[in-house]
């Protein structure tokens, strides 16, 4: 029997955008935008395989209040992909990472 791949979805979200500050926490139809993104990702990858990677304790706390897990990656990263790459190093036994950017 062939084992299943472990796939993890990592969603970068930072608070300090210059074009749209606090974008992940912007409310859309009663929920923060990042919650909408997490809901869709969880529907595909499962709750146990979906994480937000953020530099913000406020985003982390907001997602926690909705039952989602986040990884606080507050280092200096030039892009969301760099933030995802740093967080991916914290996992073992993962075959593939998906980087979903909102």
């Amino acid at each position: 029997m062939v084992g299943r791949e472990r796939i993890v979805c990592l969603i970068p979200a930072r608070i300090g955008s210059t074009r749209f500050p606090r974008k992940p926490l912007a409310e859309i139809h009663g929920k923060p935008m990042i919650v909408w993104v997490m809901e869709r990702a969880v529907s595909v990858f499962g709750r146990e395989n979906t994480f937000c990677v953020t530099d913000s304790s406020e985003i982390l706390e907001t997602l926690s209040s909705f039952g989602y897990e986040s990884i606080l990656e507050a280092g200096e990263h030039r892009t969301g992909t760099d933030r995802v790459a740093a967080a991916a190093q914290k996992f073992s036994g993962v075959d593939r990472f998906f980087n979903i950017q909102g």
Side-chain angles (χ1 to χ4, degrees), residues 9-15 24-26 31-42 47 50-72:
C9 174
L10 298 174
I11 303 165
R14 68 184 183 98
I15 201 83
L25 297 175
K31 289 188 276 193
M33 186 267 299
I34 190 62
V35 173
W36 289 102
V37 176
M38 290 293 286
E39 286 176 349
R40 296 310 179 270
V42 163
R47 189 173 293 267
T50 304
F51 304 88
C52 178
V53 182
T54 185
D55 62 348
S56 165
S57 59
E58 189 176 0
I59 291 173
L60 188 138
E61 291 166 10
T62 296
L63 286 172
S64 179
S65 74
F66 282 87
Y68 297 112
E69 288 194 57
S70 300
I71 299 165
L72 192 59

Side-chain angles (χ1 to χ4, degrees), residues 14-27 33:
R14 68 184 183 98
I15 201 83
S17 170
T18 54
R19 290 179 292 163
F20 188 169
R22 302 176 57 78
K23 178 173 89 171
L25 297 175
E27 191 170 303
M33 186 267 299

